[in-house]
Amino acid sequence: MTRLFRLILLLALLGAPSMAAAQDGRVQRTERIAAELVAMSQWAAPGSTAIVAVRQDIEPDWHTYWRNPGDSGGATTLTWSLPAGVEAGGIVWPLPERQRLSGLMNYGYSGQGYLPVPIEIPATATPGTTLALSVRALFLVCSAEMCVPDELTLTLELPVREGAAPLDPRHGAAIQTILETAPRPAGIEARIAVENGVLTLSAAGGPLAGRDPGPSYFFPFQGGVIDHPAPQSGSWGPQGLTLRMQAGGGVRGGGLQGPVAGVLSTAHGAWEVTAEPGPVLAGTSGSGDLAQAGDDAATTAATTGAGWAGFAQAALFALLGGLILNLMPCVFPILAMKAAALTASAHDPAHARRDGLAFLAGVLATFLLLAGVLLALRAAGEAVGWGFQLQSPAVTAGLALLMLAVALNLSGVFHVGAGLQGAGSGPLARLPGGVGAFFTGALAVVVAAPCTAPFMAFALGAALLMPWPMALAVFLMLGLGLALPFVVVSLTPGLLSRLPRPGPWMERLKGLLAFPMYATAAWLVWVFARQSGAEALGLLLIAVVLAAFGLWLVGINQTRRAEGGTAVVSAVAAAVALVLAIGLVGGVAGMPPETDSPAARTSALPSQPWSQAAVLAALAKGRPVLVNFTADWCVTCKINERTSLGSGKVAAAMEAADAVYLVGDWTRRDDAITAELQRHGRSGVPLYLLYSPGSAEPRILPQLLTEGVVVDALKDVRP
């Protein structure tokens, strides 16, 4: 019996360390990721540094991000809740994977992995007690199609004991390996220089000296330093290596502003380096060329396989969106005027075909130009999307004057080209023949920017993630859809023959169609006022009067010359008035807004400004959240707000659901809103998100809302 008692006591003593080992909190899961907080060692000693780690288990075809996410995404963030005296350090970031997504390059992690964090244990910690550690981890988890922010609260009970602790049997060895292989400083000297858009990084000394580094790659800590998708090439020498990289938007725009820090990865290891601006270091080339580092195979294969299917779907949706765009209120006036012009040549099939094809060319060329500028700005690191040009007060003011000129032209105040016989839409569109039809197509695209049709959001959101040839093709399909009805009519003699013959009715129709253009000009002036304030509005109204006066003088000049008289005074006065108007527009567009945001938004629903923190705060209280990403220049947005979101039934449904209404105003540029739009696969507004407490991701409502759609959606989230 005594021997048995001693054996039981011995086994209990031997088992004591494992019984006192760190107790992991429950694994937290979403549909995309599982995570838990774990310890490297079985306990922590007073006054020591313990290592804990966030273990992430990511579902196939999904990934999270490194500290510099690359071209898109966002780094994982940790917010700690710790006992008094306990302090958490920063994440010890493992070397990331290179994840190519169409034309983008991201840096991140897939599968299973650990993010270690050092925890400082105070010397006053009492052995035999337990420290309750808690961290709120925010992961941006992305696939080839979408990104979802997943927030998980992770906990760990960490025992305090005297003496050195053994490794945790489940996670200790893996965390220790990451700590040993994680990039760290190693006495490497580095220099960096930029010339003609090419960054040259040279690194020498330490572990680089005396051997071929093999495939090498530089991961900068900050975005915008390099063009992430571009290949990195270089050479090596007896002291180190030299890498050549395409400069990113931040460097191309302003040059090197100081040292560049990051991780230099080679076949023999990865190390943190800080490159000071300066010439190439000696001994870093001459021994041979560096083998080029390839993308991580798993991510590349997963995204490439879906590339062509995604492109085909985006192109089809763009075509459908362009067709529906013809019915949107911002495009209809232009197309109505072009239909009147088509009537003038309806019984001349050759001219009708010419006008139809010229109109198509104008639409496609303008879409190509807008898409090129948009893609170039995004490549330079700018956060822009569809309709970006209307976020500029200068563009809004300029378009207001252009619409005024179109309206005055239609009202007969002045004439260009075909004179009274044309039924085009404006000074450029009234030019004779195919030139007028071409510029009518261009004008249709310009005024289409404030509208978003169904199918467009997915198509343009997907296009901005594609290589530029695919992206441009998607934009051209959108233009083809916009122009297709007019082109079909112009190429079909049977349809042309049904149109009425030209006559006096065309002049009356032309005068009638001037009023939608006056309304468009007034609306753009209102948008400008929302963007820039009352003082700038006053100056713009003076510019409007000067422009109208100048164009009226142009008409007087035309009449006098047609009668055989001279019109020098009116010509000079017209030129002065128009120059002053243009100068005023340039001046007021550069004025700072009177407030940091557009004028206070009126709504039937009580609203608060959108922020990610506001969403999380409401959800933490168990309240649903309806988010409206909108802009004053977005016609579709304003229609939805006046009809669906402004109804009494929707207000009652919001109150019954105890929902919070947040408004993200994109009237002026806002990079945070742009990033949120991209996170949900959108390139522009409107976007409507409905968050439910306990749900990992929001429900995306249709772009064209109805009262019933909103009410039914709110009923589904009612507590």
Side-chain angles (χ1 to χ4, degrees), residues 478-561:
L478 180 62
L480 178 62
L482 177 64
L484 195 57
F486 182 82
V487 173
V488 169
V489 173
S490 68
L491 298 179
T492 308
L495 294 175
L496 289 172
S497 64
R498 297 177 180 271
L499 297 176
R501 291 185 176 276
W505 67 271
M506 291 180 59
E507 289 298 317
R508 292 192 293 271
L509 176 62
K510 182 168 66 73
L512 177 63
L513 291 175
F515 288 95
M517 304 315 298
Y518 284 122
T520 302
W523 167 68
L524 287 167
V525 169
W526 174 77
V527 171
F528 178 85
R530 302 273 289 185
Q531 292 175 324
S532 301
E535 183 178 351
L537 172 63
L539 294 176
L540 177 60
L541 291 176
I542 296 175
V544 167
V545 173
L546 285 172
F549 178 62
L551 293 174
W552 177 76
L553 288 174
V554 169
I556 295 295
N557 182 281
Q558 291 173 334
T559 302
R560 291 289 301 275
R561 292 173 64 87

Side-chain angles (χ1 to χ4, degrees), residues 176-551:
Q176 187 177 51
T177 299
I178 289 176
L179 291 175
E180 292 172 350
T181 59
R184 59 196 182 278
I188 297 174
E189 183 182 7
R191 297 288 184 272
I192 193 166
V194 59
E195 184 177 0
N196 298 325
V198 177
L199 280 170
T200 302
L201 171 73
S202 58
L208 297 177
R211 57 180 174 177
D212 180 357
S216 301
Y217 191 91
F218 179 65
F219 298 87
F221 287 154
Q222 299 295 325
V225 175
I226 67 172
D227 182 2
H228 300 111
Q232 300 183 10
S233 61
S235 57
W236 66 282
Q239 295 301 316
L241 60 84
T242 298
L243 273 177
R244 288 178 292 276
M245 304 162 285
Q246 292 296 316
V251 174
R252 288 198 302 268
L256 290 172
Q257 302 300 314
V260 175
V263 170
L264 180 61
S265 172
T266 73
H268 307 295
W271 301 277
E272 291 185 4
V273 298
T274 299
E276 299 286 345
V280 174
L281 295 171
T284 57
S285 62
S287 298
D289 293 334
L290 289 174
Q292 195 172 100
D295 302 333
D296 292 280
T299 304
T300 303
T303 56
T304 303
W308 287 106
F311 167 69
Q313 186 180 18
L316 175 61
F317 279 19
L319 179 64
L320 294 174
L323 286 169
I324 299 174
L325 197 58
N326 286 282
L327 304 177
M328 305 305 289
C330 48
V331 182
F332 181 75
I334 296 293
L335 297 184
M337 287 182 281
K338 194 56 198 169
L342 183 61
T343 302
S345 58
H347 301 279
D348 187 343
H351 286 176
R353 285 194 300 272
R354 178 202 63 195
D355 284 357
L357 295 176
F359 178 79
L360 173 64
V363 169
L364 295 183
T366 310
F367 259 113
L368 196 63
L369 177 62
L370 274 178
V373 172
L374 176 60
L375 294 172
L377 289 174
R378 289 176 63 85
E382 299 291 329
V384 293
W386 175 249
F388 71 96
Q389 66 273 25
L390 290 174
Q391 294 177 328
S392 166
V395 173
T396 305
L399 284 177
L401 292 190
L402 176 61
M403 295 301 109
L404 175 66
V406 169
L408 292 173
N409 183 237
L410 290 169
S411 295
V413 174
F414 72 102
H415 307 288
V416 177
L420 296 174
Q421 301 303 314
S425 60
L428 291 173
R430 291 282 303 280
L431 293 173
V435 177
F438 179 91
F439 282 107
T440 303
L443 188 60
V445 175
V446 171
V447 299
C451 281
T452 301
F455 300 106
M456 274 182 61
F458 169 82
L460 298 185
L464 295 181
L465 297 177
M466 295 178 180
W468 68 265
M470 287 184 174
L472 292 179
V474 171
F475 275 92
L476 289 178
M477 290 297 287
L478 180 62
L480 178 62
L482 177 64
L484 195 57
F486 182 82
V487 173
V488 169
V489 173
S490 68
L491 298 179
T492 308
L495 294 175
L496 289 172
S497 64
R498 297 177 180 271
L499 297 176
R501 291 185 176 276
W505 67 271
M506 291 180 59
E507 289 298 317
R508 292 192 293 271
L509 176 62
K510 182 168 66 73
L512 177 63
L513 291 175
F515 288 95
M517 304 315 298
Y518 284 122
T520 302
W523 167 68
L524 287 167
V525 169
W526 174 77
V527 171
F528 178 85
R530 302 273 289 185
Q531 292 175 324
S532 301
E535 183 178 351
L537 172 63
L539 294 176
L540 177 60
L541 291 176
I542 296 175
V544 167
V545 173
L546 285 172
F549 178 62
L551 293 174

